[in-house]
Amino acid sequence: MKTLHSVLETMRLDNGAYTASTSEEYSYVWIRDVVYCVLPYLQTNCTRYTDAFYALFDLFRRYEWKLDIHTQQKPAYLYEHIHARYNKDLTERMEPWGHAQNDSIGLFLWGVGEGVRVGKRMFRDAVDRAILQKLVNYLQTLEYWEAYDNGMWEENMEVHASSVGACVAGLRAVKMLAYVPDWLIENGERTLRQLLPRESVTKESDLALLSLIYPYQLVDRNMAKRILSNITGQLERTFGVIRYKHDLYYRDEQEAEWCFGFPWLGMCYAVLGEDEMARAYWTKTQRVLPEDGRVPELYIGGKTPNGNTPLAWSVAMTMLLKRQITKEEIPV
């Protein structure tokens, strides 16, 4: 665990956020990646969890003017959304990007709620609390339950169950911390009933759907089993899990087998109390875990890792499953 922690530390910035990777291609800060990076520290006494959220609160404070606009009117262009990725100093990047990623906002809200639930000091002052309310209002203005967004993989615009689910989970988590009308959650729940177990109109199964099981624990056992059956049956490969059928990322070579798919599946089975399956996916995770702990983003056609090595998200998911299986403490 110490090795994995040390690798993750190489991607931790002075401001408390994390770069997605040490590679030049991924030397940016994604809201989503930051939250997943600090999940191993949620149950520890170290400050990495709160430091990361304070960094993200500072990011939202810098762009509070954008929140103020888009709690009143929907964004008309992608750049008007709260951006998905940033420079290391948490300033916006100007190049075009698929910034409509409602799941990242839902994940942030969920992370704040979870932090409070386990006793962490998630708010520094009244401004942080006001930002939280504005993020809730932002999702309301977007009409997240029927909003086309770029989804977890930052691609085609459609209604994604994983994005809607993240928002539902986030709104539920902060219901005691902000004003969240019941109908705002119920609208998202209705969409999920219509979509699941599909990810979207175009995708029957998608790796992103695992988030509805872990960390959100949003679906019931029967739906969780259906989602897992689809993913393991359709998307699991030898060295990882493809994101969805006919994924074009690295497709000009061979299928991209994402490393964090194995520990993520393991954590999902752990949530369901299926310890034997969780251990089986720890064994599979160890197969793609290098001795130096630098877990790649993915393997291309099996044995060749891509350049985004290590990927912070992959390292964090590996830490989570290792602790789950071995009971080894997370270093602080």
Side-chain angles (χ1 to χ4, degrees), residues 92-111:
E92 287 184 348
R93 299 186 58 77
M94 293 300 104
E95 73 270 28
W97 199 258
H99 287 302
Q101 295 178 37
N102 299 342
D103 73 289
S104 64
I105 304 300
L107 175 61
F108 176 81
L109 295 177
W110 177 86

Side-chain angles (χ1 to χ4, degrees), residues 4 43 101 131 143 151 158 161 208 249 258 264 271-272 285 315:
L4 290 166
Q43 303 287 348
Q101 295 178 37
I131 290 291
E143 299 181 314
E158 58 181 336
Y249 190 51
W258 288 66
W264 205 347
V271 165
L272 296 179
T285 298
V315 176

Side-chain angles (χ1 to χ4, degrees), residues 124-296:
R124 297 163 296 182
D125 53 31
V127 179
D128 283 350
R129 287 185 173 273
I131 290 291
L132 190 80
Q133 184 65 61
K134 289 181 180 184
L135 288 169
V136 170
N137 299 344
Y138 174 70
L139 292 181
Q140 180 174 327
T141 300
L142 291 176
E143 299 181 314
Y144 78 90
W145 59 91
E146 60 184 14
Y148 282 38
D149 81 335
N150 295 113
M152 186 178 286
W153 311 129
E154 309 183 318
E155 295 180 338
N156 58 308
M157 294 281 284
E158 58 181 336
V159 179
H160 293 91
S162 58
S163 291
V164 175
C167 295
V168 169
L171 292 169
R172 285 183 182 177
V174 300
K175 196 164 172 54
M176 298 296 287
L177 307 173
Y179 173 65
V180 182
D182 290 340
W183 64 263
L184 190 57
I185 296 173
E186 290 165 359
N187 283 356
E189 292 171 338
R190 186 179 306 112
T191 297
L192 290 177
R193 287 194 297 270
Q194 294 167 351
L195 269 180
L196 291 174
R198 297 186 68 90
E199 163 69 345
S200 65
V201 171
T202 67
K203 295 185 181 71
E204 178 183 1
S205 188
D206 192 301
L207 184 59
L209 287 169
L210 293 184
S211 62
L212 306 187
I213 307 169
Y214 179 84
Y216 301 138
Q217 301 186 38
L218 188 64
V219 294
D220 64 24
R221 183 177 182 81
N222 288 337
M223 182 57 70
K225 295 286 282 184
R226 291 178 70 184
I227 290 170
L228 286 169
S229 177
N230 286 344
I231 290 173
T232 57
Q234 299 176 26
L235 307 182
E236 185 175 336
R237 299 293 186 266
T238 304
F239 291 90
V241 184
I242 65 172
R243 298 185 301 181
Y244 52 87
K245 288 182 178 179
H246 311 302
D247 184 1
L248 295 178
Y249 190 51
Y250 281 90
R251 186 66 181 181
D252 57 328
E253 300 172 59
Q254 294 184 54
E255 284 187 320
E257 303 176 25
W258 288 66
C259 295
F260 61 49
F262 284 158
W264 205 347
L265 281 165
M267 290 302 296
C268 289
Y269 281 111
V271 165
L272 296 179
E274 298 192 10
D275 295 340
E276 187 175 337
M277 289 297 292
R279 286 193 295 271
Y281 278 97
W282 173 237
T283 299
K284 293 181 180 185
T285 298
Q286 290 175 289
R287 193 163 64 219
V288 297
L289 172 57
E291 286 187 16
D292 62 6
R294 291 167 54 84
V295 189

